[in-house]
Amino acid sequence: YVNTIKHDYVLDDVGAITGNEYVMEGISGIPKILSVGMWHFDNVNLGYYRPLSMITFAIENQFFPGNPHVSHLGNVILYAMTGFFLCLLLMNLFRYFNPIFSFIVTLLFIAHPIHTEVVANIKSRDEILAFLNLIIAIFSLLIAFRNPKTNFRLIIVSCVFFYLALLSKESAMTGLLIAPLVLFFSYNLTIKQALLRTIPFGLMILFFQMHKFGVLGSVTGQIPK
């Protein structure tokens, strides 16, 4: 993906970056970014509240104004980080397998062409951040229950990253299904025990929906005609 660094802004980058007044204000625009929906400046409310990626764009614009190459580099680095944490998660999920197995699965994930648009399109950083934070959240939750004594600090860390994933893209809510499955197959738990251990994720989703409603006035969007 290094070859994407030389690319320019395209399509949705206008609404998310170059045509977004708050992003163009840099760091000083971050409080405003947190107070509006994603397509605020396109005068549509699709119900998307994804401020985290917009905040990273604002920070980049503060130090490298109007430079798409830095943003493309940022996407490449973040995608590489998803590979690193995915490999860590897989090695812990399949800890009785040779680590090479998890490494090969990760390489297949990284190389799969279905991810091309997500990495090559700057605006799609919301997708990368959602996956990256979700993987870290599930990894932290998995380690929190490894020993007989629950590590509550790691549960808090897990909740923080899960909330960051939700602030990246709403699709991170699937973590509420993935997390109990991971725990169920990893620790010889009953379905009820696995679900109980993921209650903090459910609370994070509830808090996110309240946060979103407070900003947008709704948890749903209005499809433009």
Side-chain angles (χ1 to χ4, degrees):
Y1 285 99
V2 171
N3 68 323
T4 66
I5 296 175
K6 66 180 184 296
H7 294 177
D8 209 331
Y9 294 115
V10 296
L11 203 59
D12 287 342
D13 293 335
V14 175
I17 306 172
T18 57
N20 190 305
E21 293 179 16
Y22 299 159
V23 168
M24 298 307 287
E25 288 179 11
I27 293 176
S28 62
I30 292 177
K32 300 175 186 176
I33 292 172
L34 289 166
S35 66
V36 297
M38 186 165 191
W39 301 117
H40 174 73
F41 287 99
D42 285 348
N43 296 316
V44 293
N45 177 17
L46 299 179
Y48 296 167
Y49 184 60
R50 306 172 184 174
L52 190 59
S53 61
M54 314 287 279
I55 288 172
T56 64
F57 298 146
I59 294 172
E60 288 173 351
N61 196 66
Q62 176 73 35
F63 300 101
F64 306 97
N67 190 329
H69 312 304
V70 170
S71 297
H72 280 296
L73 175 62
N75 274 20
V76 174
I77 292 173
L78 287 169
Y79 188 60
M81 289 174 64
T82 65
F84 175 76
F85 284 103
L86 176 62
C87 194
L88 280 183
L89 176 62
L90 292 175
M91 285 192 294
N92 280 272
L93 280 176
F94 302 103
R95 57 187 182 279
Y96 300 115
F97 287 56
N98 190 306
I100 294 297
F101 170 76
S102 298
F103 183 67
I104 291 173
V105 172
T106 301
L107 287 182
L108 287 172
F109 173 87
I110 290 293
H112 202 293
I114 199 171
H115 304 304
T116 299
E117 181 185 357
V118 171
V119 186
N121 183 21
I122 298 175
K123 176 266 162 194
S124 293
R125 184 178 297 177
D126 53 2
E127 196 77 60
I128 301 176
L129 287 172
F131 182 78
L132 173 60
N133 284 298
L134 180 58
I135 288 294
I136 297 174
I138 293 175
F139 174 68
S140 301
L141 193 69
L142 182 67
I143 301 302
F145 293 108
R146 169 157 297 178
N147 298 316
K149 185 178 180 180
T150 303
N151 190 327
F152 289 101
R153 288 184 179 180
L154 278 179
I155 292 178
I156 293 173
V157 169
S158 178
C159 288
V160 169
F161 278 102
F162 184 53
Y163 198 73
L164 290 175
L166 293 171
L167 289 176
S168 302
K169 192 169 184 180
E170 296 84 353
S171 56
M173 289 185 189
T174 53
L176 190 61
L177 300 176
I178 298 171
L181 286 174
V182 166
L183 295 176
F184 176 77
F185 286 107
S186 298
Y187 294 135
N188 193 29
L189 302 174
T190 64
I191 294 176
K192 181 179 179 181
Q193 288 173 327
L195 290 172
L196 286 174
R197 283 164 170 75
T198 50
I199 286 177
F201 274 23
L203 294 175
M204 288 299 100
I205 289 179
L206 179 62
F207 184 70
F208 170 74
Q209 294 287 44
M210 293 170 61
H211 183 177
K212 180 178 177 179
F213 183 82
V215 173
L216 304 182
S218 170
V219 293
T220 60
Q222 298 173 349
I223 304 302
K225 297 181 180 179

